[in-house]
Amino acid sequence: ALTPTIILQAGSAITLFKKVEWNLTARMVGEQFIELTNNPNLTVPTSFVLDSRIGWNFHKNHELSILLNNVLNQQYYTYGEV
């Protein structure tokens, strides 16, 4: 069907300094068909994406963050369009 065979996501956060935190998130989405006949020629391939974020709490509830999406620069599809 149109649902991926598997979806996995895991993340980790590490405090580097007193007010600096680093996050790493990995996401894997399995192969999926892009139409209802389950034609093996019409699939979206499995993908693996790694995102990273570093944040600095500089005043109470204020944070400055830098987010890097797709750190490994992998090609992936968000939707299967024909």
Side-chain angles (χ1 to χ4, degrees):
L2 302 175
T3 305
T5 53
I6 190 167
I7 299 174
L8 295 174
Q9 183 165 327
S12 179
I14 300 170
T15 302
L16 299 176
F17 307 105
K18 185 177 180 180
K19 296 184 176 187
V20 177
E21 184 179 79
W22 177 53
N23 300 75
L24 197 61
T25 304
R27 182 174 56 257
M28 188 203 115
V29 178
E31 182 181 63
Q32 66 188 58
F33 294 101
I34 57 175
E35 47 78 54
L36 294 174
T37 64
N38 293 348
N39 181 339
N41 297 319
L42 298 173
T43 61
V44 174
T46 298
S47 63
F48 178 80
V49 178
L50 191 63
D51 299 330
S52 182
R53 178 191 147 287
I54 191 162
W56 170 49
N57 272 326
F58 61 90
H59 180 66
K60 295 184 183 178
N61 294 328
H62 296 82
E63 181 180 83
L64 181 63
S65 294
I66 296 174
L67 176 63
L68 299 173
N69 289 324
N70 195 8
V71 174
L72 303 175
N73 197 28
Q74 298 294 311
Q75 182 179 3
Y76 68 98
Y77 301 90
T78 54
Y79 297 101
E81 294 183 15
V82 191

